[in-house]
Amino acid sequence: MTNPRVPTFVIAGYLGSGKTTFINALLSGGATNVAVVVNDFGDVNIDASLIRQTHADTIELTNGCICCAIGGSLADTLFTLLDRPTIPSTVIIEASGVADPASVAAYTHISGLSPAGTVVLIDASEFSDNHRNELIRSTLERQVRAAHLLAFTKTDIATDVQRNEVELIVSALAPQTPAVATTAEILAFLVDAQPSPRIDPAPGAHNRFSSRTHHFSRPPSRNELLEFLTALPRSIVRAKGIVELSDGECVLVQQTGHHRALSAIDAAPTGIVLISSE
Amino acid sequence: MASSKSASTSDVIYTARLIRTANPSRPTGTAIAVRDGKVLGVGTLEECQSWGITNIDRRFENKILTAGFVEAHSHVMAGMFHHIPYVGWFPRMMPNGEVIDGVKSTEELAERVRDIAVRTPLGESIIVAGFDPIYLKTERLSRHHLDAATTEHPVFVFHASGHLATINSFALQKYDIGPGHPAPGVGFDDNGEPNGELREPAAMALSKDEFRAIGRLIFEQETVVQYGASMRNAGITTATDLGVTLHLNDEALAMTVETTQDETFPVRMVAASRVIGAVNDMPDAVERIHSARTKSHHKLHFPIVKMVLDGSIQGFTAVVQWPGYYTGDDHGLFLLPPEQVVDYLRPFHKAGIGIHCHCNGSTTSQVFIDAIEQLLQETPWLDHRHTVTHAQLMTHAQMRKARNLGMCANFFVNHVFYWGDQHRDITVGPDRAHGMNPCGSADRIGLPYSFHTDAPVTPPGHLHTMWCAVNRRTASNQVLGENEKISIDRAFHAATIDAAYQLHMDHLVGSLEVGKYADMTVLDDDPYTVDPMEIRNITIWGTVVGGVPYERPVHSS
């Protein structure tokens, strides 16, 4: 039997939106066996005590995580990552600040990976100013449109005017896309989907998050499962878990914002962890 | 010290029908004296003999010798056609000198693949490259055409654009690509079945083994060897591999040093690293270039660095100013954040490393020029020669400003022929298409420029770029940009000394002047006197690099 495909997220966002903070938080937080693919090690800052081994383009961590820098091409980096003896449980690709997240996400379909959604970070304190800059406006808009889940960062230092402006711009560009105000630390848990006590109500301007696990009273049919997921309120920003279907098949459910992936899996049912923002 | 007039045994005089030096002080001669691989003098045979040299080599008696052509923008992947059969529309010379006929229909492509299949073990991949459907009048290539060639091998047809591949049903099955496959870029027919098309590298990467096989070529020594051979065949004596990550990788750098040191390697190579990484990685990249320079030798140089700011015009990914593209969706894509470009470039500028910046679109040209203006205000460097490479849509205001700042342009003038019709009708519309790669205007403005082939994107060789710049003919034989035509004299200088200038190599190569390397292109005819439409058809014998002849292998067909 072939290995199950590894759920793969894309994290995108313009300069200063908090991608690196997010990656640093993720690698030194509770994550295990997560592979992070970054454009460069430039600002990646990992606690020295967590580093097991450093190579030219990879850093192995004691918690089982690995951080890879894209040397030649993204495809090569991903293939090389999947050639390693240990297959990661989650892959997170950091898109460059100017990349089109959709073209990066296209790589999450390659052999061995399965797409798990694109999260676009938005610096609430800078976005509206940047959006007035004609040079980069289309870059920003492309990013917003490509998002399955939008995450506003730095909401605590943004003014009310800035917050209102960014919400207006973003909701016009991507009216259907769930959006949360969050910190990089919390976001790390969102994409890693580890239900964790660290998902505490955040102070100030941030959303509050809560998580619960849903168990079906009897194995649903595939259609019933899809109906259940479709009916979830938009405040559910993340859903993940293994569900046994009525025909006996087990499927891995991966939902990030409005991105949904169902894949067959050879593992015991866990119920679905639902993370909601308020 | 003995008089330099005492001849040594390695001294040699080459005679020729005519020598064109690209040295305005002495533009022509009929003999060249060479000592220690350098030009001792160009003039008459008597003048050369006056150095006391008796060793006269008359093999070029009936040939035209010119200052060796300098290619300032190509890629070692030009050596790939040694590994991967060529299936493009135009006839193309392979590194071994063999000329492969063009593929004129999908049926012909299938025949070529079938021929390869019969000598390929079952199940093994067949990869061909350079397929160019833009010129085909026949049905669009699909998996069915390739299935007609073989159902027992995965087939991967890599298109010339680099943006598309077509695979056969065997490969689709191998990678489990069926109806409804969710990956962007997978093409489907009217029945919802995959048609074999994989658009953009991300989709091509679904065909994992074949995609990886192509990607690996860049690191193979044989690719560099064959790159050198391709350049020799095209009459190039100094070739720039612009934009490899090679010398950020110690192993690849060592391989390049070793390969170019071999005396059979026929070309002087400029290796320009394309630097990737974060802004704060740039000082380290500067150190890497300094350290690579300690390994340079007469056939390997590291004068410049490459940056890439956008994509391609035909891919609609170049960032163009108002009003944007003529038809199609604008996917203009910055590859670096525009406000960070100056921070990326600063460490190189301060370290005195020439910067060649890939800007296909007018917006990115502007961003680059503005960044250089700021850097010059911060750190004066009067002789930087920073170069806008591709520069296809540079505006006149940009050219004036670039001139004032001491910059250069390297035009992708082959586009006029290969994609000129498409640029006029599809990408940028007639007005801008006529002004693309504006050599004539650059001359009027006084902006120094060269032109390039971007091989393997277009075949290597300056006879074709010169032909394009002089005639401005598209593939459908229409003139595109009458007022951007230049003279053969200007074209010759752009292909030689002006290319050397923007590489900071003009004291070494680019013209036949006393003390510079004796690098020559050996031609059967004189580009100055043939019918201008025949310039690209002149037969190339080969080259002389450092006084050593490198003959193109001749295949009888």
Side-chain angles (χ1 to χ4, degrees):
Chain A
M1 188 190 148
T2 53
N3 286 319
R5 292 171 159 246
V6 184
T8 304
F9 295 90
V10 173
I11 300 295
Y14 200 64
L15 302 181
S17 60
K19 298 191 299 294
T20 308
T21 315
F22 153 73
I23 282 162
N24 288 335
L26 179 123
L27 289 175
S28 42
T32 55
N33 201 21
V34 171
V36 178
V37 176
V38 297
N39 273 284
D40 47 74
F41 290 143
D43 297 315
V44 175
N45 181 13
I46 302 165
D47 188 339
S49 66
L50 275 176
I51 295 178
R52 199 164 70 91
Q53 222 174 352
T54 303
H55 309 278
D57 47 10
T58 53
I59 302 173
E60 290 175 49
L61 277 66
T62 51
N63 58 15
C65 293
I66 181 167
C67 185
C68 315
I70 300 170
S73 73
L74 175 56
D76 281 338
T77 307
L78 293 170
F79 286 136
T80 308
L81 174 67
L82 293 169
D83 282 344
R84 294 169 57 84
T86 316
I87 303 290
S89 55
T90 304
V91 173
I92 293 174
I93 305 172
E94 179 205 24
S96 90
V98 283
D100 175 5
S103 56
V104 176
Y107 286 91
T108 64
H109 292 270
I110 65 169
S111 172
L113 302 181
S114 81
T118 298
V119 182
V120 173
L121 276 60
I122 290 176
D123 177 347
S125 67
E126 291 284 347
F127 185 88
S128 53
D129 276 348
N130 284 338
H131 190 259
R132 274 185 276 275
N133 179 349
E134 251 180 63
L135 216 48
I136 54 174
R137 182 181 302 147
S138 61
T139 301
L140 297 175
E141 294 189 347
R142 193 182 289 128
Q143 291 179 352
V144 171
R145 288 201 190 93
H148 298 115
L149 175 64
L150 288 156
F152 294 110
T153 58
K154 302 187 182 171
T155 46
D156 47 343
I157 58 166
T159 64
D160 288 346
V161 174
Q162 286 169 333
R163 273 204 298 267
N164 288 339
E165 280 182 341
V166 66
E167 271 169 34
L168 271 175
I169 298 168
V170 165
S171 59
L173 289 169
Q176 302 302 322
T177 308
V180 295
T182 183
T183 63
E185 289 78 5
I186 292 171
L187 191 62
F189 288 97
L190 278 187
V191 294
D192 199 18
Q194 314 264 350
S196 159
R198 293 258 321 250
I199 305 187
D200 295 328
H206 298 296
N207 282 109
R208 298 151 71 89
F209 291 90
S210 58
S211 96
R212 65 186 170 87
T213 306
H214 177 85
H215 294 278
F216 291 93
S217 50
R218 57 170 178 81
S221 69
R222 183 175 285 265
N223 273 343
E224 284 167 342
L225 174 62
L226 288 172
E227 278 166 26
F228 167 82
L229 292 168
T230 307
L232 289 173
R234 262 180 75 196
S235 59
I236 304 288
V237 293
R238 182 85 174 100
K240 183 191 175 183
I242 298 168
V243 178
E244 185 185 1
L245 298 179
S246 50
D247 61 7
E249 191 189 5
C250 280
V251 290
L252 173 67
V253 175
Q254 282 268 14
Q255 186 158 307
T256 309
H258 61 58
H259 182 277
R260 179 184 303 151
L262 261 59
S263 51
I265 189 167
D266 191 10
T270 59
I272 302 182
V273 177
L274 303 170
I275 299 175
S276 67
S277 67
E278 290 149 25
Chain B
M1 184 181 153
S3 157
S4 51
K5 275 187 78 169
S6 10
S8 86
T9 49
S10 64
D11 291 355
V12 60
I13 295 171
Y14 291 108
T15 58
R17 196 163 98 217
L18 186 71
I19 300 172
R20 293 206 176 269
T21 64
N23 168 15
S25 307
R26 201 121 201 254
T28 57
T30 51
I32 179 168
V34 177
R35 172 174 295 168
D36 298 335
K38 295 175 184 168
V39 177
L40 191 56
V42 182
T44 63
L45 178 60
E46 293 71 31
E47 286 171 325
C48 290
Q49 281 175 314
S50 72
W51 287 96
I53 304 171
T54 52
N55 178 17
I56 300 172
D57 189 326
R58 297 184 186 275
R59 76 177 87 184
F60 303 132
E61 189 94 347
N62 293 313
K63 304 285 185 194
I64 306 293
L65 298 178
T66 72
F69 291 142
V70 178
E71 168 61 89
H73 188 160
S74 65
H75 302 277
V76 286
M77 276 298 271
M80 78 172 167
F81 289 119
H82 173 75
H83 306 268
I84 302 178
Y86 169 77
V87 292
W89 168 264
F90 297 100
R92 187 154 176 158
M93 187 181 292
M94 297 297 105
N96 67 3
E98 189 183 355
V99 176
I100 303 286
D101 286 339
V103 165
K104 304 294 185 187
S105 68
T106 46
E107 288 70 27
E108 220 179 303
L109 174 70
E111 274 168 41
R112 296 270 180 103
V113 173
R114 194 176 303 123
D115 290 347
I116 300 166
V118 294
R119 47 192 162 85
T120 304
L122 293 187
E124 228 171 73
S125 301
I126 295 171
I127 303 171
V128 295
F131 184 64
D132 214 348
I134 209 167
Y135 304 107
L136 289 191
K137 302 283 180 280
T138 50
E139 199 187 1
R140 191 178 175 89
L141 179 68
S142 79
R143 67 187 167 105
H144 300 296
H145 299 106
L146 302 176
D147 292 346
T150 173
T151 54
E152 287 163 322
H153 307 79
V155 177
F156 186 97
V157 179
F158 192 32
H159 292 228
S161 71
H163 293 279
L164 187 64
T166 310
I167 61 177
N168 66 347
S169 298
F170 188 98
L172 287 166
Q173 268 164 30
K174 176 179 174 188
Y175 297 109
D176 211 8
I177 303 169
H181 194 281
V186 174
F188 297 97
D189 62 22
D190 293 342
N191 303 320
E193 294 283 338
N195 59 14
E197 284 188 13
L198 304 175
R199 267 175 246 110
E200 298 304 327
M204 292 180 213
L206 295 172
S207 185
K208 179 177 167 179
D209 297 337
E210 296 72 24
F211 184 82
R212 291 186 90 178
I214 295 172
R216 271 194 291 266
L217 289 180
I218 195 169
F219 295 106
E220 288 181 14
Q221 180 165 37
E222 192 59 20
T223 305
V224 181
V225 169
Q226 299 302 333
Y227 168 74
S230 302
M231 291 295 155
R232 170 204 62 210
N233 297 347
I236 303 289
T237 54
T238 296
T240 308
D241 181 15
L242 194 73
V244 282
T245 46
L246 271 189
H247 77 264
L248 296 178
N249 171 337
D250 291 340
E251 212 173 294
L253 174 62
M255 181 269 279
T256 306
V257 171
E258 186 199 312
T259 310
T260 51
Q261 258 165 351
D262 190 308
E263 64 183 32
T264 62
F265 192 73
V267 70
R268 229 174 275 290
M269 190 161 154
V270 171
S273 183
R274 173 183 175 185
V275 175
I276 49 176
V279 166
N280 57 15
D281 292 330
M282 295 302 107
D284 179 56
V286 168
E287 283 314 305
R288 284 256 171 193
I289 291 173
H290 284 318
S291 133
R293 283 177 176 179
T294 65
K295 299 187 170 61
S296 65
H297 54 85
H298 67 290
K299 271 198 204 151
L300 181 63
H301 302 263
F302 301 93
I304 57 169
V305 69
K306 160 100 175 273
M307 287 279 172
V308 182
L309 286 198
D310 64 2
S312 73
I313 299 167
Q314 66 274 37
F316 299 94
T317 50
V319 190
V320 298
Q321 292 177 326
W322 189 93
Y325 286 97
Y326 186 51
T327 67
D329 292 328
D330 185 346
H331 297 293
L333 202 64
F334 284 109
L335 294 196
L336 294 177
E339 66 265 48
Q340 269 193 350
V341 168
V342 69
D343 299 324
Y344 270 95
L345 304 185
R346 183 176 292 110
F348 301 99
H349 177 81
K350 286 178 80 166
I353 295 167
I355 302 164
H356 283 224
C357 208
H358 163 131
C359 309
N360 263 312
S362 43
T363 303
T364 35
S365 289
Q366 189 69 49
V367 167
F368 179 45
I369 294 165
D370 288 346
I372 295 303
E373 182 177 37
Q374 183 181 330
L375 292 175
L376 287 168
Q377 284 163 354
E378 294 173 10
T379 311
W381 176 15
L382 297 182
D383 194 31
H384 57 82
R385 312 180 195 184
H386 297 323
T387 297
V388 188
T389 190
H390 294 328
Q392 299 206 65
L393 291 169
M394 270 183 102
T395 66
H396 290 221
Q398 288 170 350
M399 286 194 280
R400 283 185 288 268
K401 184 164 182 174
R403 171 202 63 196
N404 290 350
L405 294 172
M407 299 174 70
C408 304
N410 189 0
F411 295 121
F412 197 171
V413 75
N414 268 0
H415 259 255
V416 172
F417 174 74
Y418 286 103
W419 294 285
D421 292 318
Q422 285 76 25
H423 290 315
R424 183 193 56 229
D425 301 338
I426 299 168
T427 62
V428 295
D431 192 326
R432 284 175 293 177
H434 281 274
M436 284 179 79
N437 298 292
C439 302
S441 293
D443 272 336
R444 289 183 285 274
I445 284 167
L447 174 68
Y449 64 88
S450 177
F451 25 68
H452 61 273
T453 64
D454 203 8
V457 178
T458 68
H462 272 318
L463 290 176
H464 197 279
T465 57
M466 286 163 41
W467 177 87
C468 277
V470 168
N471 297 293
R472 301 275 311 190
R473 296 291 179 109
T474 68
S476 69
N477 202 27
Q478 298 177 57
V479 173
L480 189 70
E482 177 68 35
N483 298 308
E484 298 300 346
K485 288 181 178 175
I486 56 171
S487 68
I488 181 63
D489 188 59
R490 281 300 303 126
F492 176 58
H493 284 83
T496 52
I497 187 67
D498 296 344
Y501 172 77
Q502 59 185 232
L503 295 171
H504 293 268
M505 295 271 287
D506 55 314
H507 58 303
L508 300 173
V509 300
S511 66
L512 297 171
E513 286 180 63
V514 176
K516 292 173 69 168
Y517 289 126
D519 291 358
M520 291 169 266
T521 303
V522 185
L523 303 173
D524 276 8
D525 262 310
D526 182 4
Y528 278 63
T529 55
V530 297
D531 176 337
M533 284 299 285
E534 290 299 315
I535 294 169
R536 64 174 174 171
N537 297 328
I538 294 172
T539 300
I540 299 164
W541 177 89
T543 60
V544 176
V545 174
V548 179
Y550 292 95
E551 185 176 4
R552 171 177 65 84
V554 176
H555 278 251
S556 51
S557 49

